[in-house]
Amino acid sequence: QVQLVESGGGLVQAGESLRLSCVASGISKIIFSANAMGWYRQAPGKQRELVASITHSGSTNSADSVKGRFTISRDNAKNTVYLQMNSLKPEDTAVYYCKMGIARVYWGQGTQVTVSS
């Protein structure tokens, strides 16, 4: 019953911005707010890698490759986590996945981000 649905991906040019959203359904806002959330990405032929994460209290971490450009945030009232992506580069091209939980993990279906040079 628990589902994560990402949206906001698309085709953009280098230097432009996108905001990804991930909405969790099938769970209460209490449960959602207690879970850590993360954004991962996977490019063709590469391993899935962590992009950014946020704890239940709002503490964030991000990969070195996106520091200063990407920002993760959450709105617990909407069961939603966001990834604001600025100054996009071609190397950011990947399928971006939303993850919920640590002990028990749920994944979204992914949303494609393509950045042209």
Side-chain angles (χ1 to χ4, degrees):
Q1 294 299 311
V2 178
Q3 288 188 315
L4 304 179
V5 179
E6 302 97 332
S7 62
L11 173 63
V12 298
Q13 294 182 319
E16 295 183 341
S17 299
L18 284 172
R19 189 180 75 158
L20 306 184
S21 299
C22 171
V23 179
S25 62
I27 56 172
S28 70
K29 64 180 182 181
I30 295 175
I31 293 176
F32 176 82
S33 66
N35 276 276
M37 303 293 297
W39 284 98
Y40 290 70
R41 67 186 181 187
Q42 188 166 24
K46 295 186 177 181
Q47 298 270 89
R48 187 173 298 187
E49 64 176 355
L50 176 66
V51 176
S53 62
I54 185 167
T55 69
H56 72 282
S57 61
S59 298
T60 61
N61 278 300
S62 60
D64 289 343
S65 60
V66 306
K67 284 186 185 300
R69 299 187 298 120
F70 292 9
T71 303
I72 188 171
S73 62
R74 66 192 298 162
D75 186 341
N76 292 333
K78 297 181 178 180
N79 275 24
T80 302
V81 62
Y82 304 97
L83 185 67
Q84 179 65 46
M85 309 164 67
N86 297 327
S87 301
L88 283 162
K89 304 175 180 180
E91 50 262 47
D92 295 320
T93 295
V95 177
Y96 284 72
Y97 297 91
C98 177
K99 187 190 81 172
M100 181 178 73
I102 297 176
R104 184 176 176 87
V105 175
Y106 295 89
W107 290 93
Q109 83 289 350
T111 185
Q112 177 71 48
V113 172
T114 303
V115 185
S116 63
S117 59

